[in-house]
Amino acid sequence: MDGYVVAATSASETLTDLLKAHQAITQASWQDTFLGLWIAALRLVQREGEAVEGPVPRLDTCLCLLLCTTTLAVVNIIEEEENALLQEDDDKHAHQGSETQILGNCRKSLVSSLQQLGDLEGLLTPPPSVTSIANQAAAKAIMFFSGIPVGSGYLDGVSFNDIPVNCAGNLRHLIVEACIARNLLDTSAYLWPGYVKGHSNQIPRAVSGQMPGWSSLMKGSPLTTQMMHTLVSVPASSLAEIEKIYGIAINGSDEEKISAATVLCGASLTRGWNIQEHIGSFIIKLLAPPVPVDYSGSESHLIVYAPMLNVLLVGISSIDCVQIISLHGLAPHLAGVLMPICEVFGSCSPTVSWTLPTGEHLCPLAVFSNAFTLLLKLWRFHQPPLEHVMGDVTPVGSQLTPEFLLLARNSQLASCVNSLDPKNRRGIFGRSNLSSLEPIFLDSFPKLAFWYKQHQACIASTLSDLKPGTSVYQIFDALLNMMFRKMNRGGQCTSTSGSSSSSGSIPEDCTLRLKLPAWDILEAVPFVLDAALTACAHGRLSPRELTTGLKDLADFLPASMATIVSYLSAETTRGLWKPAAMNGTDWPSPATSLAMVEKNMNKILSATGVDVPSLSAGGTTPTLPLPMAALVSLTITYKVDKVSEPVLNLAAPALNTLGASCPWPCMAIISALWVSKAKRWTDYLVFSASRTVFHHSSDAVVQLLRVCFSSAIGLPISCGGVASAGGAGSLLGHGFGSHCSGGISAVAPGILYLRVHRSVRDIMFMTEEIVSLLMHTVRDIVSLEVPIEKLRKPKNGMVMRYGEVSLYSAMTRIKLAASLGASLVWITGRLNLVQSLIKETLPSWFISGHKSDPSKGDSGGMTGMLMGYALAYFAVLSGAFAWGVDSTCSASKKRAVILGGHLEFMASALDGKISLGCNKATWRAYVSGFVSLMVLCAPKWVGEVDVEVLKRLSKGLRKWDEDELALALLGISGVHAMGAAAEMIVKSSV
């Protein structure tokens, strides 16, 4: 939940595939799977319910995951099962146009899981901000139970904050309402034992003269300003209500269109969990309005819609809104409609303006800046300096860029069009038309494409000289005069460029010369920044004057903040500038907060055993690279309020990334400076500084991973020596921050890793470390659970302890450790890292000799065997997370090549063509375990592998007397393996 995690695919689709993979590999019932899903989502809300303040997504996004994304994932699973059952029924009975609905076992499991969820009251307490909505859901059930029609208006105007305790609602009431809205349940859920606890006469009567709300709108009342304010704060309860508002936004008067757009961006988007994805699609469609029938202008028709477009752009610019849109997989489509807006309004003369209903004037620069900064939030524009300049290993996975977002958009729409069967269309893409189905490419927007190329060039190398007399130079000179006019005397504006100086006219003329389109101004901004920074470095411009000038530039054209951030970031990573002394005279000083930051950093990391290097070096003045000092000084000039939120939200991820990459303790200094500015962000800022410890030290990352395994499994933690209780509670904890225990506290290792893994420079080494830690964890589990001296070897050849209790307990913990390892690999690098694990890391591990193999000297190879089973479970679960267990996952197309190569490696080792350096018991357990899991849990995998490889595997298994497994492998391999299977049966019967 920290920072921008913008996805190109729907979170519900990803969650669907992960749930199916987990259920298949673990062989858990769907009831247990769904219950675990609800508990995990509720725990997320519980942890983040009082999350620390800062430029990060907050509670609305957590509730979106619980009540919308999770529910949509369940919808996908249930619909998939029931559509398959219906198809079987149609094939069997040859129904023509049958409307029969077949209820599957998954739907029944959902009901059971939700009924069981009611026993977990400690998880169901709603956060204060949604108590009223939860009470409303409970009151709706009470009315139904009492025989009062829900649409009777009985609840209109009721203050749900005043409902008696025994009638109060909880988060299960909201989950059930979300499931009813998605047709997963019906109102019979209100009759579940214990669901309704109060009586209708306990609900306060409606207050007379209540504000007009959604019911009034649906009855035909006009969308007045008064009604708009009500609808903005109260989420719509049905799709029909949203469609009504959307209709007004399309066909209403100019004032009504603006009001309707405002409503769509309000509570219905952030808390309309039952209809959230539809609201997102409606907003995107409104951002791409059609050409009016009577439009005859030579300019783009988008100019006509400027007031409404601006309302939408501002309305969805918050971090929570961007994150929610991303979770529904709408980021690529949003990018597709923002690019033409940027192109048009960035090319529009600023002399054009529009008068809003409030009497305010709207100019093209404002519309462009709002669209441009929102577009930048959809891709990681703040990361390229580290990837291209510092020489860091590029993180595994597709990097979000404008091209990537457009590619994802085009691919999603093409997939939707090509899927003729609506039953196979997942998510919102199969339910509504988002925008034009035509593919879009970056070259379609020449101004944006030119800026992007310039942006990349500025990152890759220093700027070339700017030639005087060119149009860009004239804008450059005017910008400098505007920014630094206060330092000049005698009414003269003097350029501060290190390469030239020129005199201009009076300051008012500077502004007149900048009555230009935004794209033209942005082209000159990098040169302005270079000149200003050079002047400051040579003493011709004071730090205060530099900061004030940058602020004037950003205020004049807010979109220029993007270039300011990327230019100063790139210059920082180049390391060509002298450090700036943060002494409180020239630059702001962190001295008042630095000691507190260091103390709290140590508290946060105390449970991991990771040491925080000292922030002070013998009392010397803290320093920052000059460009970074300029960027930090600029950001702390802004007030922490809603007006400044878009700018700060744009700069915050860049500061985090940049601060982590610079020498220690730059990020701590940045945090200390910001703590003095925004004390309520203290926990967030200190935590941001704590993460950089792991960016600078691979050993610290390994130590954190070690503690993750120990905490989850319930083993003694090396830094504390005391065993944790184990499980998700120990791994993920209960949140962090000053609200937890009257002061900032240690952060659970799992939460810490979720926040820091993006800061790791080289993630490719992570797979090797995770495999190594998994093996050592198995050894520790065996030493605790199954003492060697108490083992015996029964007739079936398996080593186990008397009563089998210890071995069962050990296997349970080993599976948990393997599951954690697979989760860590998936979280760290997704598909590419999983494929690297299976293609490279595991084969190398088996081939290489292990100097301190913990299985050597083991009686009967018990530890070696368990290590092999752990690796098999780990590998198959990792593959299932990446590829899915069926063919619905988009990544399943890449499965055959990687999996086929891994099975070829197994077969070659069994044939004696590859020499192995691992324990024989480990190898045998790995091969048999991997194949067993494939056969039992992922049979579709087997059908994609070359039959000759499977035959060789089967032959090798038979040499180990694994005849049943060898036959089962061939049995699900398709018709081409039938001959080999028949031959094996005949031989075994002789």
Side-chain angles (χ1 to χ4, degrees), residues 233-304:
S233 59
V234 179
S237 60
S238 67
L239 182 58
E241 293 171 345
I242 289 300
E243 288 175 336
K244 179 85 170 180
I245 284 290
Y246 177 69
I248 295 174
I250 293 293
N251 302 313
S253 65
D254 290 343
E255 187 171 350
E256 286 179 329
K257 288 179 179 179
I258 291 176
S259 296
T262 304
V263 171
L264 284 174
C265 298
S268 292
L269 174 61
T270 57
R271 299 194 174 184
W273 304 296
N274 301 337
I275 48 178
Q276 205 169 51
E277 74 277 20
H278 297 286
I279 299 169
S281 70
F282 284 149
I283 289 173
I284 289 173
K285 290 171 73 173
L286 287 174
L287 286 170
V291 180
V293 177
D294 58 347
Y295 187 74
S296 58
S298 58
E299 296 180 324
S300 169
H301 70 286
L302 293 175
I303 299 292
V304 178

Coordinates of all heavy atoms in Angstrom, one line a residue, residues 233-304:
S233 N -20.8 13.1 -1.1 CA -20.3 12.6 0.2 C -21.0 11.2 0.5 O -20.6 10.5 1.4 CB -20.6 13.5 1.3 OG -22.0 13.8 1.4
V234 N -22.0 10.8 -0.3 CA -22.7 9.6 -0.1 C -22.6 8.7 -1.3 O -23.0 9.1 -2.4 CB -24.2 9.8 0.2 CG1 -24.9 8.5 0.5 CG2 -24.4 10.7 1.5
P235 N -22.0 7.5 -1.2 CA -21.8 6.6 -2.4 C -23.2 6.1 -2.9 O -24.1 5.9 -2.1 CB -21.0 5.5 -1.8 CG -21.2 5.5 -0.4 CD -21.4 6.9 0.0
A236 N -23.2 6.0 -4.2 CA -24.4 5.4 -4.8 C -24.5 4.0 -4.4 O -23.5 3.3 -4.1 CB -24.3 5.5 -6.3
S237 N -25.8 3.5 -4.4 CA -26.0 2.1 -3.9 C -26.2 1.1 -5.1 O -26.3 -0.1 -4.8 CB -27.2 2.1 -2.9 OG -28.3 2.5 -3.6
S238 N -26.4 1.6 -6.3 CA -26.7 0.8 -7.4 C -26.1 1.3 -8.7 O -25.9 2.5 -8.8 CB -28.2 0.6 -7.5 OG -28.8 1.8 -7.9
L239 N -26.0 0.4 -9.6 CA -25.5 0.8 -10.9 C -26.5 1.8 -11.6 O -26.1 2.7 -12.4 CB -25.2 -0.4 -11.8 CG -24.7 -0.2 -13.2 CD1 -23.3 0.6 -13.1 CD2 -24.5 -1.5 -13.9
A240 N -27.8 1.6 -11.4 CA -28.8 2.5 -12.0 C -28.6 3.9 -11.6 O -28.8 4.8 -12.4 CB -30.2 2.0 -11.6
E241 N -28.2 4.1 -10.4 CA -28.0 5.5 -9.9 C -26.8 6.1 -10.6 O -26.8 7.3 -11.0 CB -27.8 5.5 -8.4 CG -29.1 5.1 -7.6 CD -28.8 4.9 -6.1 OE1 -27.6 4.8 -5.7 OE2 -29.8 4.8 -5.4
I242 N -25.7 5.4 -10.8 CA -24.6 5.9 -11.4 C -24.8 6.1 -12.9 O -24.4 7.1 -13.5 CB -23.4 4.9 -11.3 CG1 -22.9 4.9 -9.8 CG2 -22.2 5.2 -12.2 CD1 -22.4 6.3 -9.4
E243 N -25.6 5.2 -13.5 CA -26.0 5.4 -14.9 C -26.8 6.7 -15.1 O -26.7 7.4 -16.1 CB -26.7 4.2 -15.4 CG -25.8 3.0 -15.6 CD -26.6 1.7 -16.0 OE1 -27.8 1.7 -15.7 OE2 -26.0 0.8 -16.6
K244 N -27.6 7.0 -14.1 CA -28.4 8.2 -14.1 C -27.5 9.5 -14.1 O -27.6 10.4 -14.9 CB -29.3 8.3 -12.9 CG -30.2 9.5 -12.8 CD -31.5 9.4 -13.6 CE -32.4 10.5 -13.3 NZ -33.7 10.5 -14.1
I245 N -26.5 9.4 -13.2 CA -25.5 10.5 -13.2 C -24.7 10.6 -14.4 O -24.5 11.7 -15.0 CB -24.6 10.4 -11.9 CG1 -25.3 10.7 -10.7 CG2 -23.3 11.2 -12.1 CD1 -25.6 12.2 -10.5
Y246 N -24.3 9.5 -15.0 CA -23.6 9.5 -16.2 C -24.4 10.1 -17.4 O -23.8 10.8 -18.2 CB -23.1 8.1 -16.5 CG -22.4 7.9 -17.9 CD1 -21.1 8.4 -18.0 CD2 -23.0 7.3 -18.9 CE1 -20.4 8.3 -19.2 CE2 -22.3 7.2 -20.1 CZ -21.0 7.7 -20.3 OH -20.3 7.6 -21.4
G247 N -25.7 9.8 -17.4 CA -26.5 10.3 -18.4 C -26.6 11.9 -18.3 O -26.6 12.6 -19.4
I248 N -26.6 12.4 -17.1 CA -26.6 13.8 -16.9 C -25.3 14.4 -17.4 O -25.3 15.5 -18.0 CB -26.9 14.2 -15.4 CG1 -28.3 13.7 -15.0 CG2 -26.7 15.7 -15.2 CD1 -28.6 13.9 -13.6
A249 N -24.2 13.7 -17.1 CA -22.9 14.2 -17.5 C -22.8 14.2 -19.1 O -22.0 15.0 -19.6 CB -21.8 13.3 -17.0
I250 N -23.6 13.4 -19.7 CA -23.5 13.4 -21.2 C -24.5 14.4 -21.8 O -24.2 15.1 -22.8 CB -23.9 11.9 -21.7 CG1 -22.8 11.0 -21.3 CG2 -24.1 11.9 -23.2 CD1 -21.4 11.2 -22.0
N251 N -25.7 14.4 -21.3 CA -26.8 15.2 -21.9 C -27.3 16.4 -21.2 O -28.1 17.1 -21.7 CB -28.0 14.2 -22.1 CG -27.6 13.0 -22.9 OD1 -27.0 13.1 -24.0 ND2 -28.0 11.8 -22.5
G252 N -26.8 16.7 -20.0 CA -27.3 17.8 -19.2 C -26.7 19.1 -19.7 O -26.0 19.2 -20.7
S253 N -27.1 20.2 -19.0 CA -26.6 21.5 -19.3 C -25.2 21.6 -18.9 O -24.6 20.7 -18.2 CB -27.4 22.5 -18.5 OG -27.2 22.4 -17.1
D254 N -24.5 22.6 -19.3 CA -23.1 22.8 -18.9 C -22.9 22.7 -17.4 O -21.9 22.0 -16.9 CB -22.5 24.1 -19.5 CG -22.4 24.1 -21.0 OD1 -22.5 22.9 -21.6 OD2 -22.3 25.1 -21.6
E255 N -23.7 23.4 -16.7 CA -23.6 23.4 -15.2 C -23.9 22.0 -14.6 O -23.2 21.5 -13.7 CB -24.5 24.4 -14.6 CG -24.3 24.6 -13.1 CD -25.1 25.8 -12.5 OE1 -25.6 26.5 -13.3 OE2 -25.2 25.9 -11.3
E256 N -24.9 21.3 -15.2 CA -25.2 20.0 -14.7 C -24.1 19.0 -15.1 O -23.8 18.1 -14.3 CB -26.5 19.5 -15.4 CG -27.8 20.2 -14.8 CD -29.0 19.7 -15.5 OE1 -29.0 19.4 -16.7 OE2 -30.1 19.7 -14.8
K257 N -23.5 19.1 -16.2 CA -22.4 18.2 -16.5 C -21.2 18.3 -15.5 O -20.7 17.3 -15.1 CB -21.8 18.6 -17.9 CG -22.8 18.2 -19.1 CD -22.2 18.6 -20.4 CE -23.1 18.1 -21.5 NZ -22.6 18.5 -22.9
I258 N -20.9 19.6 -15.1 CA -19.9 19.8 -14.1 C -20.3 19.1 -12.8 O -19.5 18.5 -12.1 CB -19.5 21.3 -14.0 CG1 -18.9 21.8 -15.3 CG2 -18.7 21.5 -12.8 CD1 -18.6 23.3 -15.3
S259 N -21.5 19.3 -12.4 CA -22.0 18.7 -11.1 C -22.0 17.2 -11.2 O -21.6 16.6 -10.2 CB -23.4 19.2 -10.8 OG -23.5 20.6 -10.6
A260 N -22.4 16.7 -12.3 CA -22.4 15.2 -12.5 C -21.0 14.6 -12.4 O -20.7 13.6 -11.8 CB -23.1 14.8 -13.7
A261 N -20.1 15.3 -13.1 CA -18.7 14.9 -13.0 C -18.1 14.9 -11.6 O -17.4 14.0 -11.2 CB -17.8 15.8 -14.0
T262 N -18.5 15.9 -10.9 CA -18.0 16.1 -9.5 C -18.6 14.9 -8.7 O -17.8 14.3 -7.8 CB -18.5 17.4 -8.9 OG1 -18.0 18.5 -9.7 CG2 -18.0 17.6 -7.5
V263 N -19.8 14.5 -8.9 CA -20.4 13.4 -8.1 C -19.7 12.1 -8.4 O -19.4 11.3 -7.5 CB -21.9 13.3 -8.4 CG1 -22.5 12.0 -7.8 CG2 -22.7 14.5 -7.9
L264 N -19.4 11.9 -9.7 CA -18.7 10.6 -10.1 C -17.4 10.5 -9.4 O -16.9 9.3 -9.1 CB -18.6 10.5 -11.6 CG -19.8 10.2 -12.4 CD1 -19.5 10.3 -13.9 CD2 -20.4 8.8 -12.0
C265 N -16.7 11.6 -9.1 CA -15.4 11.5 -8.5 C -15.4 11.6 -7.0 O -14.4 11.6 -6.4 CB -14.5 12.7 -9.0 SG -14.2 12.7 -10.8
G266 N -16.6 11.5 -6.4 CA -16.7 11.6 -5.0 C -16.7 10.3 -4.3 O -16.0 9.3 -4.7
A267 N -17.6 10.1 -3.3 CA -17.6 8.9 -2.5 C -18.0 7.7 -3.3 O -17.6 6.6 -2.9 CB -18.7 9.1 -1.4
S268 N -18.7 7.9 -4.4 CA -19.1 6.7 -5.2 C -17.9 6.0 -5.8 O -17.9 4.8 -6.0 CB -20.1 7.1 -6.3 OG -21.3 7.5 -5.8
L269 N -16.8 6.8 -6.1 CA -15.6 6.2 -6.6 C -14.8 5.6 -5.5 O -14.3 4.4 -5.7 CB -14.8 7.3 -7.4 CG -13.4 6.8 -7.9 CD1 -13.5 5.7 -8.9 CD2 -12.6 8.0 -8.5
T270 N -14.6 6.3 -4.4 CA -13.7 5.8 -3.4 C -14.4 4.8 -2.5 O -13.7 3.9 -1.9 CB -13.2 6.9 -2.5 OG1 -14.3 7.7 -2.0 CG2 -12.3 7.9 -3.3
R271 N -15.7 4.8 -2.4 CA -16.5 3.9 -1.5 C -17.7 3.3 -2.1 O -18.5 2.7 -1.4 CB -16.8 4.7 -0.2 CG -15.6 5.2 0.5 CD -15.9 5.6 1.9 NE -14.6 6.0 2.6 CZ -14.5 6.3 3.9 NH1 -15.6 6.3 4.6 NH2 -13.3 6.6 4.4
G272 N -17.8 3.4 -3.4 CA -18.9 2.7 -4.0 C -18.5 1.3 -4.4 O -18.4 0.9 -5.6
W273 N -18.2 0.5 -3.4 CA -17.5 -0.8 -3.6 C -18.3 -1.7 -4.5 O -17.8 -2.6 -5.2 CB -17.2 -1.5 -2.3 CG -16.4 -0.6 -1.4 CD1 -15.2 -0.2 -1.6 CD2 -16.9 0.0 -0.2 NE1 -14.7 0.7 -0.6 CE2 -15.8 0.8 0.3 CE3 -18.0 0.0 0.6 CZ2 -15.8 1.5 1.5 CZ3 -18.1 0.7 1.8 CH2 -17.0 1.5 2.2
N274 N -19.6 -1.6 -4.5 CA -20.5 -2.5 -5.3 C -20.5 -2.2 -6.8 O -20.9 -3.0 -7.6 CB -21.9 -2.5 -4.8 CG -22.0 -2.9 -3.3 OD1 -21.1 -3.5 -2.8 ND2 -23.1 -2.4 -2.6
I275 N -20.0 -1.0 -7.1 CA -20.1 -0.5 -8.5 C -18.8 0.2 -8.9 O -18.8 0.9 -10.0 CB -21.3 0.5 -8.7 CG1 -21.3 1.5 -7.5 CG2 -22.6 -0.3 -8.7 CD1 -22.4 2.5 -7.6
Q276 N -17.8 0.1 -8.2 CA -16.6 0.9 -8.3 C -16.0 0.8 -9.7 O -15.6 1.8 -10.3 CB -15.6 0.5 -7.3 CG -14.6 1.5 -6.9 CD -13.8 1.1 -5.6 OE1 -13.3 0.0 -5.6 NE2 -13.8 1.9 -4.6
E277 N -15.9 -0.4 -10.2 CA -15.2 -0.5 -11.5 C -16.0 0.1 -12.6 O -15.5 0.6 -13.6 CB -14.9 -2.0 -11.9 CG -16.2 -2.8 -12.3 CD -16.9 -3.3 -11.1 OE1 -16.8 -2.8 -10.0 OE2 -17.7 -4.3 -11.2
H278 N -17.3 0.2 -12.5 CA -18.2 0.8 -13.5 C -18.0 2.3 -13.4 O -18.0 3.0 -14.5 CB -19.6 0.5 -13.3 CG -19.9 -1.0 -13.4 ND1 -20.0 -1.6 -14.6 CD2 -20.2 -1.9 -12.5 CE1 -20.3 -2.9 -14.5 NE2 -20.4 -3.1 -13.2
I279 N -17.8 2.9 -12.2 CA -17.6 4.3 -12.1 C -16.3 4.7 -12.8 O -16.2 5.7 -13.5 CB -17.6 4.7 -10.6 CG1 -18.9 4.4 -10.0 CG2 -17.3 6.2 -10.5 CD1 -18.9 4.5 -8.5
G280 N -15.3 3.9 -12.5 CA -14.0 4.2 -13.2 C -14.1 4.2 -14.7 O -13.5 5.0 -15.4
S281 N -14.9 3.2 -15.3 CA -15.0 3.2 -16.7 C -15.8 4.4 -17.2 O -15.5 4.9 -18.3 CB -15.7 1.9 -17.1 OG -17.0 1.8 -16.7
F282 N -16.8 4.8 -16.5 CA -17.6 6.0 -16.9 C -16.8 7.2 -16.9 O -16.9 8.1 -17.8 CB -18.8 6.2 -15.9 CG -19.9 5.2 -16.1 CD1 -20.7 4.8 -15.1 CD2 -20.2 4.7 -17.4 CE1 -21.8 3.9 -15.3 CE2 -21.2 3.8 -17.6 CZ -22.0 3.4 -16.6
I283 N -15.9 7.4 -15.9 CA -15.0 8.5 -15.8 C -14.1 8.5 -17.0 O -13.9 9.6 -17.7 CB -14.2 8.6 -14.5 CG1 -15.2 8.9 -13.3 CG2 -13.1 9.6 -14.6 CD1 -14.5 8.7 -12.0
I284 N -13.6 7.4 -17.4 CA -12.7 7.3 -18.5 C -13.4 7.6 -19.8 O -12.9 8.3 -20.7 CB -12.0 5.9 -18.6 CG1 -11.0 5.7 -17.4 CG2 -11.3 5.6 -19.9 CD1 -10.5 4.4 -17.3
K285 N -14.6 7.2 -19.9 CA -15.4 7.5 -21.1 C -15.7 9.0 -21.2 O -15.7 9.6 -22.3 CB -16.7 6.7 -21.1 CG -16.5 5.2 -21.4 CD -17.7 4.4 -21.1 CE -18.8 4.6 -22.2 NZ -19.9 3.7 -22.1
L286 N -15.9 9.6 -20.0 CA -16.2 11.1 -20.0 C -15.0 11.9 -20.4 O -15.0 13.0 -20.9 CB -16.7 11.5 -18.7 CG -18.2 11.1 -18.3 CD1 -18.5 11.5 -16.9 CD2 -19.1 11.8 -19.3
L287 N -13.8 11.3 -20.1 CA -12.5 12.0 -20.5 C -12.2 11.8 -21.9 O -11.2 12.4 -22.4 CB -11.4 11.4 -19.6 CG -11.3 11.8 -18.2 CD1 -10.3 11.0 -17.4 CD2 -11.0 13.3 -18.0
A288 N -13.0 11.0 -22.7 CA -12.8 10.9 -24.1 C -14.2 11.1 -24.8 O -14.8 10.3 -25.4 CB -12.3 9.5 -24.4
P289 N -14.7 12.4 -24.6 CA -16.1 12.7 -25.2 C -16.1 12.6 -26.7 O -15.1 12.9 -27.4 CB -16.3 14.1 -24.7 CG -15.0 14.7 -24.5 CD -14.1 13.6 -24.1
P290 N -17.2 12.2 -27.3 CA -17.3 12.2 -28.7 C -17.4 13.6 -29.3 O -17.7 14.6 -28.6 CB -18.7 11.4 -28.9 CG -19.5 11.8 -27.7 CD -18.5 11.8 -26.6
V291 N -17.2 13.7 -30.6 CA -17.3 14.9 -31.3 C -18.7 15.3 -31.4 O -19.6 14.5 -31.9 CB -16.7 14.8 -32.7 CG1 -16.8 16.2 -33.4 CG2 -15.2 14.4 -32.6
P292 N -19.1 16.5 -30.9 CA -20.5 16.9 -31.1 C -21.0 16.9 -32.5 O -20.2 17.1 -33.4 CB -20.5 18.3 -30.5 CG -19.3 18.4 -29.6 CD -18.3 17.5 -30.3
V293 N -22.3 16.6 -32.7 CA -22.8 16.4 -34.0 C -22.7 17.7 -34.8 O -22.4 17.8 -36.0 CB -24.3 16.0 -34.0 CG1 -24.9 15.9 -35.4 CG2 -24.4 14.6 -33.3
D294 N -22.9 18.9 -34.1 CA -22.9 20.2 -34.8 C -21.6 20.9 -34.7 O -21.5 22.1 -35.0 CB -24.0 21.0 -34.2 CG -23.8 21.2 -32.7 OD1 -23.0 20.5 -32.1 OD2 -24.5 22.1 -32.1
Y295 N -20.5 20.2 -34.3 CA -19.2 20.8 -34.1 C -18.6 21.1 -35.5 O -18.5 20.2 -36.3 CB -18.3 19.9 -33.3 CG -17.0 20.6 -32.9 CD1 -17.0 21.6 -31.9 CD2 -15.8 20.3 -33.5 CE1 -15.8 22.3 -31.6 CE2 -14.6 20.9 -33.2 CZ -14.6 21.9 -32.2 OH -13.5 22.6 -31.9
S296 N -18.1 22.3 -35.7 CA -17.5 22.7 -36.9 C -16.2 23.5 -36.8 O -15.6 24.0 -37.7 CB -18.5 23.6 -37.7 OG -18.8 24.8 -37.0
G297 N -15.6 23.5 -35.6 CA -14.4 24.2 -35.3 C -13.2 23.5 -35.9 O -13.2 22.3 -36.2
S298 N -12.1 24.3 -36.1 CA -10.9 23.7 -36.7 C -10.0 23.1 -35.6 O -9.2 22.2 -35.9 CB -10.1 24.8 -37.4 OG -9.8 25.9 -36.5
E299 N -10.2 23.5 -34.3 CA -9.5 22.9 -33.2 C -10.1 21.6 -32.7 O -11.3 21.3 -33.1 CB -9.4 23.9 -32.1 CG -8.6 25.2 -32.4 CD -8.6 26.2 -31.3 OE1 -9.6 26.2 -30.5 OE2 -7.5 26.8 -31.1
S300 N -9.5 20.9 -31.9 CA -10.0 19.7 -31.3 C -11.3 20.0 -30.6 O -11.5 21.0 -29.9 CB -9.0 19.1 -30.4 OG -9.5 18.0 -29.6
H301 N -12.2 19.0 -30.7 CA -13.5 19.2 -29.9 C -13.3 19.1 -28.4 O -14.2 19.5 -27.7 CB -14.4 18.1 -30.4 CG -14.1 16.7 -29.9 ND1 -13.0 16.0 -30.4 CD2 -14.6 15.9 -28.9 CE1 -12.9 14.8 -29.8 NE2 -13.8 14.8 -28.9
L302 N -12.2 18.6 -28.0 CA -11.9 18.5 -26.5 C -11.9 19.9 -25.9 O -12.2 20.0 -24.7 CB -10.6 17.8 -26.3 CG -10.5 16.4 -26.6 CD1 -9.1 15.8 -26.4 CD2 -11.5 15.5 -25.8
I303 N -11.6 20.9 -26.7 CA -11.6 22.3 -26.1 C -12.9 22.7 -25.5 O -13.0 23.3 -24.5 CB -11.1 23.3 -27.2 CG1 -9.7 23.0 -27.7 CG2 -11.2 24.7 -26.7 CD1 -8.6 23.2 -26.7
V304 N -14.0 22.2 -26.2 CA -15.3 22.6 -25.8 C -15.6 22.0 -24.4 O -16.4 22.6 -23.6 CB -16.4 22.1 -26.8 CG1 -17.8 22.4 -26.4 CG2 -16.1 22.7 -28.2

